[in-house]
Amino acid sequence: MNKIVVEGLKYKYPLSETLALDNISFSVKEGEFIGIIGRNSAGKSTLCQAIVGLVPHFYKGAYGGKVLVDGLEVKTHSIADISLKAGMVFQNPFTQVTGSKMTVYEEIAFGLENIGVPRTEMINRIDEVLHLFKIEHVKDHNPFDLSGGQMQRMAIASIIAMKPEIILLDEPTSQLDPGGSEEVFQAVQSLKNQGITILMAEHKMEKVAQYCDKVLLLESGKVVDYDTPEVVFSRNDLDVFGVTAPVYTKVCQALGVKKKGADTYPVTLKEAEAALKEMRR
Amino acid sequence: MKSISLYVNRNSFVHDVDPITKLIYIAFAILVPIIVPSFTISFICVGISLVLLAFAKVLRKTVPVFSFVFLVLITVVIIQGLFKPENETVLFQLGPITMYQEGLLFALTITLRVLTIVSAFMILVLTTKPSELVESLVRKGMSPSIGYMIVSVFQIIPEMMAAVSTITDAQRARGMETEGSFFVRFKAFLPLMGPVVLGALINTKERAMALEVRGFNSQVQKTYLYEEKTYAYSRLIRALLLLAIAGALVWRILS
């Protein structure tokens, strides 16, 4: 079943001359994990915001086409309605702290209070996400006193606690060290296994290749490609779009080693290892 | 993080009383001395507040506030004692300075009024978390947006101050002079405040979006993480306080 359907979406920010999103069409099935890639200002954030309804409700501006989120048409529903279906984590963890709560624990509760989750359920969910993102030890700290990485994990935890069916993450690992990024990807993976649909704008291609089912490549507001990581990263014109393939793909490309029985290059360490061992034999 | 709230975390029955009861107490402590204009009543009200502050173990925290208030009140005493137009009865003379009884009594009334108000508010401010106060008002029907505005000020202002110091350091690192004569400081003001204000505006936009996606404008009935704070005797206390205000009114109308 299609969870998100985008048809001919066009959008222009107020006071802007050019289209930020230009005739975008794609659909996402329930439980899929989609990576959105492309250079800075290609439209990744705008696309994410168009799915939760910030575009056009928050910004206004010229809007065309149709976005359906779990059957709700974004244009005709309020952000509050859509936020029950789709949650979004933004790039900057600092501005996602509400500023009205004194502890991390209360901060995560903020969204749950707004959507009317009963108290016992609320406490269960908070404990669960604190554990999932390994921030239990700071639950009584002031949200502003956290490190960048902890704050980012708290921001993701706050959205995930609201249990949306769709989660959009806009560069959620920008402040995290490699270990922290890996933890976030694994947590997201476990959400995917629970059947949650995930869209993530991300620049760490190795991670995208390893975890995503499909990759959406954007360039100046247009969809260039929407396919499996193997197909997208095997393209030989990636640098035109400001993207570099995972290092494993580049090595295999240089050596001319393709995946066994396919016309694409390996994109993860495991695949590359298998393909190279195969070649040595 | 530095907090700009005056709340002091202690264990006492005053801390346990819910914020609404404290608000009613403030109304009581302000209204009764106004309705019943007698020194005894005013003294009693100040006395009750001070005893409650002592029980809450925050009496020491009131010293800076009271000393500031006294500074203002001393000028009132001097000016009223010397120059009130109704001054007739000479109380004492110090060289050319004459103190009059009417002025001093009037100054005493003002002093007591101010003290009742300040001490009653101090109970609320020193023993109640701002977030708790706002939450109980939101439960009573105040708009959550207004509640958010009030509470967030306590955190956003210190954050902005932190941003100012970061920007000051950054500008200094680029060689800008921020210390020295008034003129030097004034010249440094614009390059410091520009980024702070613009940054705050951008942050506000992003924060507004983050609040939206967390259902801040949701029409659903809100729930709360914490159970409403109730004090065993708060109904009794509220009833007594309201009764005292009503009693004072009746006394005033009848006499």
Side-chain angles (χ1 to χ4, degrees), chain A residues 74-250:
Chain A
V74 167
K75 202 184 170 189
T76 52
H77 288 82
S78 73
I79 301 174
D81 288 340
I82 302 161
S83 73
L84 297 176
K85 300 264 182 202
M88 176 163 178
V89 182
F90 297 85
Q91 260 174 35
N92 182 348
F94 178 78
T95 53
Q96 291 176 71
V97 180
T98 60
S100 69
K101 300 291 182 182
M102 301 304 286
T103 66
V104 170
Y105 200 84
E106 295 168 5
E107 175 71 26
I108 296 174
F110 180 84
L112 304 179
E113 290 176 329
N114 288 335
I115 59 171
V117 176
R119 181 172 300 118
T120 43
E121 167 81 12
M122 202 187 288
I123 291 166
N124 286 341
R125 286 196 196 180
I126 298 172
D127 289 338
E128 197 181 308
V129 293
L130 283 173
H131 179 72
L132 185 61
F133 286 95
K134 303 196 168 63
I135 44 175
E136 287 148 315
H137 58 292
V138 291
K139 73 180 165 75
D140 295 321
H141 291 210
N142 187 298
F144 282 109
D145 288 341
L146 300 187
S147 73
Q150 290 168 332
M151 222 186 241
Q152 203 150 34
R153 278 184 270 175
M154 177 186 72
I156 304 172
S158 310
I159 292 296
I160 285 171
M162 292 170 73
K163 296 222 164 133
E165 293 160 48
I166 299 162
I167 294 174
L168 295 114
L169 300 130
D170 192 355
E171 293 180 36
T173 62
S174 58
Q175 309 248 344
L176 296 172
D177 54 17
S181 316
E182 183 58 31
E183 279 168 17
V184 165
F185 271 92
Q186 275 173 9
V188 171
Q189 174 82 9
S190 79
L191 295 170
K192 173 191 144 64
N193 293 341
Q194 293 167 29
I196 295 172
T197 311
I198 294 151
L199 276 82
M200 181 192 281
E202 181 59 73
H203 288 299
K204 292 177 180 143
M205 296 306 161
E206 282 77 18
K207 295 265 181 267
V208 170
Q210 188 184 345
Y211 288 99
C212 295
D213 299 316
K214 275 176 153 186
V215 174
L216 182 72
L217 174 58
L218 286 181
E219 166 73 4
S220 5
K222 294 190 185 72
V223 176
V224 175
D225 209 341
Y226 180 48
D227 216 317
T228 58
E230 287 83 11
V231 174
V232 174
F233 289 128
S234 295
R235 289 173 72 111
N236 48 20
D237 56 351
L238 281 178
D239 33 326
V240 178
F241 310 114
V243 173
T244 48
V247 64
Y248 317 116
T249 313
K250 283 202 275 185

Side-chain angles (χ1 to χ4, degrees), chain A residues 16-92:
Chain A
S16 163
E17 294 291 311
T18 51
L19 287 173
L21 298 176
D22 192 354
N23 206 9
I24 288 190
S25 300
F26 66 97
S27 60
V28 180
K29 288 195 184 64
E30 186 166 0
E32 274 187 319
F33 183 172
I34 309 295
I36 304 175
I37 61 170
R39 70 171 92 238
N40 290 337
S41 77
K44 302 187 295 296
S45 300
T46 312
L47 179 59
C48 290
Q49 292 174 8
I51 292 167
V52 287
L54 289 167
V55 164
H57 298 303
F58 186 83
Y59 289 102
K60 315 297 180 213
Y63 187 86
K66 204 155 116 181
V67 178
L68 289 173
V69 172
D70 201 18
L72 289 183
E73 186 170 355
V74 167
K75 202 184 170 189
T76 52
H77 288 82
S78 73
I79 301 174
D81 288 340
I82 302 161
S83 73
L84 297 176
K85 300 264 182 202
M88 176 163 178
V89 182
F90 297 85
Q91 260 174 35
N92 182 348

Side-chain angles (χ1 to χ4, degrees), chain B residues 22-237:
Chain B
K22 288 177 192 164
L23 282 175
I24 296 177
Y25 176 76
I26 292 180
F28 160 83
I30 293 175
L31 287 178
V32 170
I34 293 177
I35 300 170
V36 186
S38 105
F39 284 138
T40 336
I41 295 288
S42 296
F43 272 118
I44 290 173
C45 282
V46 177
I48 297 175
S49 297
L50 289 179
V51 168
L52 288 174
L53 284 168
F55 270 120
K57 299 166 210 154
V58 291
L59 210 49
R60 249 166 127 207
K61 295 278 170 187
T62 64
V63 173
V65 182
F66 276 123
S67 37
F68 174 74
V69 170
F70 272 117
L71 210 69
V72 178
L73 288 175
I74 284 172
T75 60
V76 173
V77 171
I78 293 172
I79 290 172
Q80 296 294 345
L82 295 180
F83 305 119
K84 193 165 195 289
E86 289 85 39
N87 279 349
E88 271 179 1
T89 331
V90 177
L91 211 58
F92 60 87
Q93 272 188 317
L94 271 177
I97 302 163
T98 323
M99 270 288 182
Y100 295 93
Q101 193 182 348
E102 289 82 2
L104 274 185
L105 281 177
F106 184 68
L108 184 63
T109 325
I110 293 181
T111 309
L112 280 173
R113 286 270 158 82
V114 172
L115 287 184
T116 46
I117 294 171
V118 170
S119 52
F121 266 102
M122 217 88 96
I123 294 178
L124 180 74
V125 170
L126 290 173
T127 68
T128 319
K129 279 190 208 163
S131 52
E132 226 166 66
L133 171 65
V134 168
E135 193 175 299
S136 56
L137 288 174
V138 170
R139 278 184 218 259
K140 289 271 176 268
M142 189 173 78
S143 138
S145 320
I146 294 177
Y148 174 79
M149 260 163 48
I150 299 170
V151 180
S152 62
V153 162
F154 287 93
Q155 298 223 333
I156 306 288
I157 297 281
E159 276 318 303
M160 277 180 77
M161 281 166 11
V164 170
S165 80
T166 310
I167 291 167
T168 313
D169 288 346
Q171 302 288 46
R172 259 195 220 146
R174 294 181 214 167
M176 193 179 77
E177 284 191 62
T178 54
E179 280 156 12
S181 70
F182 174 75
F183 184 66
V184 172
R185 281 162 188 266
F186 185 76
K187 258 203 330 199
F189 187 70
L190 257 187
L192 289 183
M193 291 321 285
V196 172
V197 173
L198 289 177
L201 290 176
I202 292 167
N203 282 351
T204 307
K205 183 198 101 182
E206 288 183 8
R207 187 159 282 131
M209 291 201 294
L211 291 181
E212 285 282 355
V213 298
R214 285 168 80 185
F216 189 58
N217 285 326
S218 160
Q219 300 301 312
V220 185
Q221 179 71 42
K222 233 173 110 80
T223 51
Y224 299 92
L225 174 62
Y226 298 120
E227 284 181 47
E228 189 165 13
K229 197 174 181 179
T230 45
Y231 182 60
Y233 308 109
S234 64
R235 283 196 158 191
L236 181 73
I237 298 173

